[in-house]
Amino acid sequence: MVDPRETSGLIGPYCSPAFSRPVAEQIVADLHSDNCGLTGRWDGSLLVFEWTPDYDGDGGTETVTPDEQGRYRIGGRWPWDYDGPLDAAERHQAALARSAAHRGSSPPLVEAPVLASAGPTVAPAPGR
């Protein structure tokens, strides 16, 4: 869900969109795999970000608490951007967010589709 300060209903470069816990967990895993100097860890339901002086010149920590819907507002430390055209599910989620922004309510969370493996698929032999 987009940052309510983004009146267009779209993700701005340094906004703080809200994410479900599973998506926040994936963000933390991605940060760790990038080895960028910014990490996250869980302390119960709290998400604690830590970064080194190499990351921003100062270093620091930030604790993110879930909102009343259990979503985590993450951002402001790196620019959000899309790496290509939006797929149908992303366009639908963006439309829901824009609609909710205009109504002043929270859009329903839509589960992201599970991406298929990039490996080959094997069909069963006929007659089996």
Side-chain angles (χ1 to χ4, degrees):
M1 199 168 109
V2 298
D3 188 324
R5 294 170 295 194
E6 292 293 324
T7 57
S8 67
L10 300 174
I11 294 175
Y14 284 93
C15 72
S16 296
F19 299 96
S20 65
R21 170 110 187 210
V23 174
E25 289 171 352
Q26 183 61 55
I27 290 170
V28 169
D30 291 347
L31 285 173
H32 292 182
S33 70
D34 285 346
N35 194 26
C36 65
L38 173 63
T39 61
R41 65 179 169 79
W42 293 95
D43 184 6
S45 66
L46 303 177
L47 174 53
V48 180
F49 288 104
E50 298 172 320
W51 57 96
T52 64
D54 291 336
Y55 183 76
D56 70 351
D58 297 321
T61 63
E62 176 183 9
T63 301
V64 180
T65 58
D67 66 15
E68 59 276 356
Q69 287 86 30
R71 294 181 296 231
Y72 294 82
R73 290 222 171 262
I74 299 172
R77 305 236 167 259
W78 60 82
W80 296 105
D81 200 356
Y82 294 109
D83 61 357
L86 301 180
D87 66 22
E90 292 167 329
R91 285 192 307 272
H92 177 70
Q93 184 66 29
L96 285 173
R98 280 191 303 276
S99 174
H102 293 306
R103 289 190 322 264
S105 62
S106 297
L109 289 178
V110 175
E111 292 296 322
V114 176
L115 300 176
S117 151
T121 58
V122 179
R128 293 192 182 188

